Amino acid sequence: MIYADNAATTKMSEAAVNRMFSVINENFGNPSSLYSLGQRAKEILESAREDVAKVINARAKEIYFTSGGSEADNQAIISAAKIGEKKGKKHIISSAFEHHAVLHTLKKLEREGFEVTLLNVHENGLVVPEEVASAIREDTCLVTIMFANNEIGTIQPIREIGKICREKGVLFHTDAVQAIGHIPVDVEADNIDMLSASGHKFHGPKGTGFLYVKKGIRLLNLIEGGAQERGKRAGTENVPGIAAMAVALKEAAEKMEVNAAHLERNRNRLIEGLKEIPHSAINGDETKRLPGNVNFCFEGIEGESLLLLLDDKGIAASSGSACTSGSLDPSHVLLAIGRVHDVAHGSLRLSIGEDITEKEVETIIKSVKEVVEYLRGFSPIWRDLTSGKKQFIL
Ligand SMILES: *Cc1c(COP(=O)(O)O)cnc(C)c1O
């Protein structure tokens, strides 16, 4: 099988699996226990915290372990909103193509009386920093813009946006789930106050993640209970998962440059090959995108049928995001960059992994070409387009 859905989840690295098993077998103690078995688990936890912090140029004290990216997004946003509310600040700025962990949290806050401005991401899938600046008001308590988009892979001008927020004294959070372990992230240089990450997007285990909160910024807890994570996240820590996540992240950071170069080469070949399909278009900026992300629209077909037929050919890919699959609405990300419904329905996301080979890339190109042509052969929309009854958009 060719696995080209790494934006949905990644396979755990061998080192991460080994680490997880060794901690499960040899260090099953509770980090809150005072005897040495517990204290060894505590040491594992704290050394993982150091390792994770180092990769993003943070301090260990600024890292809070969570159950994943969704929880980190929820905690960062809700905490910032509730603290802002106490100062009479109930306005939040975000973008139209955020992950649902962000958008649905914002919707909930709107129902509680907060006002949310969702910035346009334009045709190229990028937020314009000047537009963030002009959206900031006296009562803005938070700006939350994702580092890299999970569907179309576009990388946002985070450093510039962070700088604007610093100058205006507004808190800045970024959902960096797709960026961490794949492209350089430096919380100091990038002017980030809060950042969310998820272990299973960089070859760590599912159900692990972390929230970075800059020293001096207050954080509220969402889960009541024990005093774990310095009182900010109750519940016995997932020690084996956290230890494995730290190993996976260290590994990803060490190999980042080599991996990114390999991915980019193969991504560019995929883009070049898929462009040969008539009435197709790449989604999002062609170069300001994650090294492993390819996203296309093909006019006159349904993305779901494309996926099923690719699966028959041994290729695992995605159309829109895993969260919207199963619903009839096209991806909110593709609509946000201005794709009309009919076109957005015919989308394909290929998120390749570090072990992809040139031969596999050629297989993907050939298979997508065959499947698109086959599906167009009996598509009523395609018939209308080719007979002139409907106008081509792409
Ligand atoms: C996967 C993903 C999340 C959710 O992370 P989980 O660990 O699965 O909860 C949030 N944001 C982005 C951009 C993602 O890609």
Side-chain angles (χ1 to χ4, degrees):
M1 187 198 56
I2 302 175
Y3 184 71
D5 203 14
N6 286 275
T9 196
T10 59
K11 183 173 189 255
M12 275 178 74
S13 76
E14 207 182 313
V17 171
N18 289 340
R19 180 72 172 139
M20 196 152 170
F21 274 110
S22 93
V23 175
I24 287 173
N25 287 321
E26 292 150 33
N27 298 91
F28 65 90
N30 187 324
S32 300
S33 301
L34 291 179
Y35 42 80
S36 47
L37 183 70
Q39 286 312 296
R40 274 204 301 281
K42 175 91 182 152
E43 278 160 27
I44 289 169
L45 193 64
E46 295 317 315
S47 117
R49 203 184 303 280
E50 295 273 350
D51 290 344
V52 164
K54 213 172 281 165
V55 171
I56 60 166
N57 192 23
R59 283 159 284 214
K61 274 188 182 157
E62 297 172 317
I63 304 295
Y64 299 87
F65 292 122
T66 67
S67 66
S70 301
E71 186 189 326
D73 282 340
N74 272 261
Q75 189 172 6
I77 294 168
I78 292 171
S79 170
K82 300 286 166 184
I83 291 168
E85 187 177 25
K86 289 206 182 94
K87 300 176 193 155
K89 295 183 174 189
K90 295 186 76 173
H91 177 236
I92 300 171
I93 298 166
S94 188
S95 83
F97 76 164
E98 296 294 315
H99 190 272
H100 283 136
V102 169
L103 288 179
H104 291 173
T105 303
L106 294 175
K107 270 269 166 286
K108 184 168 105 169
L109 289 168
E110 268 183 332
R111 287 194 295 270
E112 293 173 17
F114 285 84
E115 200 185 322
V116 176
T117 301
L118 292 185
L119 296 173
N120 193 346
V121 286
H122 303 275
E123 219 175 295
N124 57 5
L126 295 168
V127 171
V128 177
E130 289 72 31
E131 293 180 12
V132 177
S134 24
I136 293 177
R137 316 189 311 211
E138 278 294 306
D139 63 341
T140 305
C141 61
L142 174 72
V143 171
T144 173
I145 306 279
M146 70 200 316
F147 209 114
N149 185 267
N150 48 302
E151 289 188 36
I152 59 173
T154 48
I155 301 168
Q156 304 304 315
I158 289 302
R159 193 167 293 192
E160 290 77 11
I161 296 171
K163 186 162 176 274
I164 289 165
C165 293
R166 281 276 150 88
E167 282 165 7
K168 302 219 177 204
V170 178
L171 209 57
F172 176 47
H173 166 256
T174 184
D175 173 340
V177 170
Q178 292 288 333
I180 295 288
H182 301 280
I183 55 172
V185 174
D186 178 325
V187 291
E188 288 297 327
D190 294 336
N191 307 306
I192 296 165
D193 294 324
M194 297 197 282
L195 170 149
S196 306
S198 169
H200 76 101
K201 303 290 175 77
F202 52 74
H203 304 285
K206 290 164 187 62
T208 64
F210 63 90
L211 173 62
Y212 155 82
V213 181
K214 192 178 171 62
K215 187 168 171 262
I217 290 170
R218 249 183 91 208
L219 180 68
L220 303 181
N221 60 321
L222 298 191
I223 300 175
E224 303 292 343
Q228 292 91 349
E229 298 299 293
R230 300 183 299 292
K232 303 303 182 194
R233 205 275 182 182
T236 303
E237 302 88 341
N238 174 7
V239 184
I242 290 166
M245 169 173 70
V247 165
L249 184 55
K250 241 174 109 173
E251 211 180 2
E254 279 159 11
K255 295 185 190 157
M256 189 181 289
E257 237 175 282
V258 176
N259 283 341
H262 174 72
L263 285 170
E264 260 175 44
R265 211 166 36 243
N266 286 292
R267 175 200 73 190
N268 293 346
R269 171 62 195 132
L270 269 174
I271 292 174
E272 183 190 271
L274 296 182
K275 270 186 178 168
E276 288 166 8
I277 297 174
H279 304 287
S280 68
I282 187 168
N283 291 313
D285 193 278
E286 205 169 312
T287 53
K288 287 180 188 139
R289 63 195 303 125
L290 290 168
N293 176 289
V294 175
N295 193 312
F296 265 77
C297 277
F298 305 106
E299 210 166 355
I301 61 159
E302 289 285 342
E304 281 72 16
S305 326
L306 179 57
L307 291 190
L308 293 176
L309 292 175
L310 284 177
D311 186 26
D312 285 344
K313 289 176 182 282
I315 298 167
S318 154
S319 175
S321 78
C323 322
T324 33
S325 295
S327 84
L328 284 173
D329 292 332
S331 135
H332 70 286
V333 173
L334 297 177
L335 297 180
I337 62 166
R339 294 283 182 224
V340 297
H341 275 66
D342 274 1
V343 172
H345 270 305
S347 74
L348 174 70
R349 177 185 72 186
L350 296 161
S351 43
I352 51 176
E354 294 78 7
D355 55 356
I356 191 95
T357 64
E358 281 170 28
K359 192 163 161 262
E360 287 174 330
V361 165
E362 296 311 319
T363 305
I364 296 175
I365 295 171
K366 184 167 166 278
S367 307
V368 175
K369 281 181 175 171
E370 283 169 6
V371 172
V372 169
E373 197 178 306
Y374 172 76
L375 287 171
R376 282 175 172 172
F378 53 83
S379 149
I381 301 172
W382 184 251
R383 201 174 50 228
D384 288 350
L385 289 166
T386 45
S387 68
K389 214 165 141 191
K390 256 181 149 177
Q391 292 287 308
F392 277 110
I393 294 165
L394 303 180

